[in-house]
Amino acid sequence: MSRRTLLCASTPRASCLDLWREKNDRLVRRAKELVPQECSLRRQQLTQDILEGLSGLLHSLQGLPAAVSVLPLELTVTCNFIILRASLTQGFTEDQAQDIQQALERVLETQEPLVPRLEQGLRELWDSVLHASSLLPELLPALHLLAGLQAALWLSTDHLGDLALLLQALNGSQNRASEDLLLLLKTWSPPAEESDAPLILQDAWGLRDVLLTASAFHQGLQELITGSLPKALSSLHEAASGLCSRPVLVQVYTALGNCLRKMGNPQRALLYLIAALKEGSALGLPLLEASRLYRQLGNTTAELESLELLFEALSVTHKSEAPHILIEVELLLPQPGPASPLHCGTQSQVKHLLASRCLQMGRAEEAAEHYLDLLALLLDVSEPRFSPPPCPPGPCMPEVFLEAAVALIKAGRAQDALTVCEELLSRTSSLLPKMSWLWEDVRKGTKELPHCPLWVSAAHLLQGQAWVQLRAQKEAVGEFSHCLELLFRAVPEDKDQGGASNCEQGCSSDVALQHLRAAALISRGLEWVASGQDTKALQDFLLSVQVCPGHRDASFHLLQTLRNLNRRDEANAVWWKLKTQTQVPQEEATWHHPF
């Protein structure tokens, strides 16, 4: 027990209450006087000192038996302590939940008979306390502020069911059936503080407005992800009209732009994105959404310019503003996941998106440069040996190597493509002795490197294409043959024996395997045609049609070769089949090879 607590134990409680209240008010004034622009280290130290002062005061108050006359001050100090601690750590933790629980138990200690609490969770404690508070109206202002902090904690941790029940209890029975958080928050009317009440860092009404804005934004994002666009638009408009700091407003405007784009209103979407860009220095989110908008409009130049600006924006480190000593909307919002429209990604992910879009749009020279920049960026932080990063979002390192090689070949830089493929092969060389069981994993769709054999085979295929460009036929045929040797070691999945759990990955690997075989056979067949060896070419084209039925390129080259060999009946049969067949959708492959 502290010296002050011992002193107060022997003096009238009223004088102790005055001392404790004066200390609370003094600490609150010091906190409110902190200047946001002050040196961050000094400001953090001052905040920590105030927090320790509140902690000591709370320890003194809780060192005595709970009493109704002291509880308003004790609850106020608890709330000030939680607010300051959450602001200092920029988030809620389990410690704050324990602080709230202890405060509720102190309230119940004043009631006779004592309510059994051993098996009560926070929500049950709140039911008991709010029931008891009907007999203790003097506690209501402090309890509503504590309830606001509980609501903030539950909103930030996505305990929305508990939050709705708490708000229903605060509002009384009139809205007991409602689960609409926005309606419940709007209905919540915290009682006004008495003029002579202890000072607080943030009142319940201000906290209610923060909760309303954060809840509207959170709800709008969830509705946007699930495709409930009209509801999302309404919720996001609600958030935009609330207590938004500039960084939050950038996120809200970006989400509104995303929603309107999906609703087919690109002009209004663009207006919100422009507004987001004007709100601050964090330009990443609106630029990414702008690139999506321009892509939808077919404006490739503007799309690629937006991605280039986004890459530059992510390379700039912005100095964040010092937070206010309050619970703010930012503290209550979860970090956006990959499915969120507010997930901006990393520099390397943006560079890959830019490179792949250039490649898709036929801008091979630009794509090649972007891919080389991307490889330099990735290899700068990579392990010496190949180790695949976690899969989606984005491709694995080997796929980036392969895409880079494709871009270089299309840009006429065959020698650079060979170098990139050699680098990939050197990074997978340690796996070559294990290729037999890796092929089995491809078939079953298991293990951590199921596509490694496909990557190695594709690298040899691309090397062959590079040698073709360099007019080195012998080397090209050698690479195509090596590729085919690797590919034909794999046995496609037996659909009667494959397990249900890995069927999808195994089947998609089989599709990629078929198309890679067809591409290698067609490529080698074309080299035979170029050297006048139509009979050898015919064998490869026939086999390509067998391994990948419905492949139009394979059928076309087979038709041409049959005509060259004057085998008209067979050529006519292939022509009729080619005319009536439907193209197999190639997007089923897990890795989209370039052929």
Side-chain angles (χ1 to χ4, degrees):
M1 189 174 292
S2 68
R3 180 183 177 187
R4 175 162 289 184
T5 304
L6 289 170
L7 176 64
C8 289
S10 60
T11 58
R13 175 161 287 185
S15 62
C16 287
L17 207 56
D18 291 338
L19 289 172
W20 286 329
R21 173 178 169 155
E22 287 173 8
K23 182 173 183 181
N24 171 78
D25 293 354
R26 186 168 62 253
L27 291 169
V28 170
R29 290 192 191 97
R30 282 179 59 192
K32 290 184 174 182
E33 289 169 358
L34 290 175
V35 182
Q37 290 77 23
E38 194 168 3
C39 171
S40 59
L41 284 177
R42 174 170 169 73
R43 187 173 186 272
Q44 187 172 3
Q45 183 58 56
L46 291 172
T47 305
Q48 186 64 45
D49 291 344
I50 298 169
L51 188 67
E52 290 175 2
L54 287 170
S55 177
L57 176 55
L58 190 58
H59 183 71
S60 298
L61 287 162
Q62 293 174 343
L64 298 174
V68 173
S69 60
V70 183
L71 271 177
L73 175 61
E74 183 178 327
L75 292 176
T76 300
V77 174
T78 299
C79 291
N80 287 333
F81 178 74
I82 293 173
I83 291 169
L84 193 60
R85 191 172 190 179
S87 173
L88 187 65
T89 59
Q90 285 296 283
F92 286 92
T93 65
E94 184 61 30
D95 290 338
Q96 279 95 335
Q98 292 175 3
D99 293 335
I100 293 173
Q101 181 169 342
Q102 186 173 2
L104 297 176
E105 290 172 348
R106 292 278 289 174
V107 173
L108 293 179
E109 283 178 18
T110 64
Q111 303 302 296
E112 293 291 340
L114 286 178
V115 180
R117 301 182 302 275
L118 293 178
E119 298 182 1
Q120 284 187 313
L122 269 173
R123 190 167 62 78
E124 291 78 11
L125 274 174
W126 271 109
D127 287 339
S128 300
V129 166
L130 291 176
H131 176 73
S133 67
S134 61
L135 306 174
L136 303 169
E138 61 269 45
L139 297 184
L140 280 178
L143 276 176
H144 272 257
L145 178 56
L146 188 67
L149 293 172
Q150 178 70 79
L153 189 152
W154 274 338
L155 180 60
S156 67
T157 54
D158 208 29
H159 287 71
L160 303 185
D162 290 336
L163 173 54
L165 291 172
L166 174 61
L167 291 171
Q168 288 169 2
L170 291 171
N171 292 335
S173 60
Q174 56 188 355
N175 283 306
R176 178 63 78 173
S178 174
E179 294 184 358
D180 185 334
L181 287 181
L182 297 185
L183 177 60
L184 289 169
L185 283 166
K186 289 177 181 178
T187 307
W188 177 33
S189 180
E193 293 280 350
E194 297 291 336
S195 58
D196 60 344
L199 292 183
I200 52 177
L201 284 170
Q202 186 172 11
D203 63 33
W205 278 97
L207 189 54
R208 167 190 172 274
D209 291 340
V210 169
L211 286 164
L212 188 56
T213 302
S215 181
F217 191 21
H218 183 275
Q219 183 172 309
L221 287 176
Q222 290 303 115
E223 291 163 342
L224 188 54
I225 291 170
T226 57
S228 303
L229 299 182
K231 291 182 179 180
L233 190 64
S234 175
S235 299
L236 292 171
H237 275 139
E238 180 86 38
S241 63
L243 290 176
C244 292
S245 63
R246 294 183 72 179
V248 171
L249 202 54
V250 169
Q251 295 183 56
V252 175
Y253 283 163
T254 302
L256 278 165
N258 181 280
C259 184
L260 288 164
R261 173 179 63 82
K262 291 178 178 177
M263 293 178 74
N265 199 331
Q267 298 305 322
R268 284 186 63 198
L270 190 58
L271 290 176
Y272 274 109
L273 296 180
I274 292 172
L277 289 170
K278 291 179 179 178
E279 280 298 326
S281 56
L283 307 179
L285 285 176
L287 285 172
L288 179 58
E289 182 55 35
S291 73
R292 296 172 181 148
L293 175 62
Y294 287 127
R295 181 175 182 176
Q296 184 172 307
L297 293 173
N299 190 339
T300 304
T301 301
E303 175 197 352
L304 297 180
E305 286 177 356
S306 298
L307 290 174
E308 287 178 351
L309 289 172
L310 172 58
F311 179 80
E312 294 176 9
L314 291 177
S315 66
V316 177
T317 303
H318 299 286
K319 185 179 180 181
S320 59
E321 297 179 2
H324 296 283
I325 307 299
L326 296 171
I327 303 298
E328 296 181 300
V329 175
E330 289 92 327
L331 298 187
L332 310 184
L333 300 176
Q335 288 296 317
S340 171
L342 300 182
H343 182 71
C344 196
T346 63
Q347 266 193 297
S348 58
Q349 289 171 332
V350 172
K351 177 62 81 170
H352 176 260
L353 179 58
L354 180 57
S356 61
R357 286 297 293 149
C358 285
L359 185 58
Q360 292 166 12
M361 301 310 298
R363 301 187 177 199
E365 292 82 3
E366 295 175 56
E369 289 299 328
H370 286 309
Y371 272 114
L372 291 177
D373 290 343
L374 175 59
L375 287 175
L377 187 65
L378 293 173
L379 294 176
D380 186 46
V381 294
S382 293
E383 297 291 332
R385 287 282 180 183
F386 158 65
S387 177
C391 278
C396 308
M397 276 288 289
E399 294 174 0
V400 175
F401 274 96
L402 295 171
E403 291 173 15
V406 172
L408 289 164
I409 290 171
K410 289 184 178 294
R413 299 170 60 174
Q415 196 62 56
D416 290 334
L418 288 171
T419 302
V420 168
C421 290
E422 282 298 331
E423 179 66 20
L424 173 58
L425 292 173
S426 70
R427 287 170 173 265
T428 54
S429 60
S430 61
L431 298 173
L432 290 179
K434 308 172 185 177
M435 196 63 79
S436 58
W437 61 257
L438 284 172
W439 275 125
E440 180 66 16
D441 294 334
V442 170
R443 190 181 71 82
K444 293 181 179 179
T446 58
K447 302 291 184 183
E448 65 274 11
L449 292 175
H451 300 301
C452 183
L454 300 181
W455 296 330
V456 173
S457 303
H460 286 293
L461 174 60
L462 291 171
Q463 281 188 316
Q465 290 289 347
W467 285 119
V468 169
Q469 199 171 88
L470 293 172
R471 300 182 185 279
Q473 187 186 57
K474 180 180 178 182
E475 288 81 358
V477 170
E479 290 295 341
F480 295 141
S481 298
H482 192 176
C483 172
L484 289 166
E485 180 187 350
L486 292 172
L487 290 171
F488 279 101
R489 290 182 190 174
V491 179
E493 175 75 18
D494 185 344
K495 293 180 175 54
D496 295 329
Q497 298 179 2
S501 61
N502 56 30
C503 177
E504 182 178 347
Q505 186 172 353
C507 292
S508 57
S509 295
D510 287 344
V511 173
L513 183 63
Q514 289 175 359
H515 285 284
L516 275 172
R517 285 172 173 173
L521 286 165
I522 291 170
S523 298
R524 190 173 69 175
L526 289 173
E527 289 307 293
W528 297 135
V529 170
S531 62
Q533 301 182 65
D534 286 346
T535 303
K536 287 186 176 181
L538 180 63
Q539 293 175 353
D540 281 346
F541 293 143
L542 280 170
L543 189 53
S544 67
V545 171
Q546 292 173 12
V547 299
C548 193
H551 196 297
R552 294 182 66 87
D553 287 347
S555 299
F556 175 78
H557 291 300
L558 175 60
L559 173 62
Q560 292 295 105
T561 306
L562 287 169
R563 285 176 175 173
N564 292 342
L565 293 171
N566 202 27
R567 295 165 67 164
R568 294 182 181 179
D569 291 341
E570 295 171 81
N572 285 335
V574 173
W575 184 83
W576 281 108
K577 188 174 181 180
L578 184 62
K579 185 177 180 181
T580 58
Q581 74 183 11
T582 57
Q583 187 173 6
V584 177
Q586 298 192 16
E587 60 270 15
E588 295 174 7
T590 51
W591 174 70
H592 301 279
H593 61 77
F595 305 102

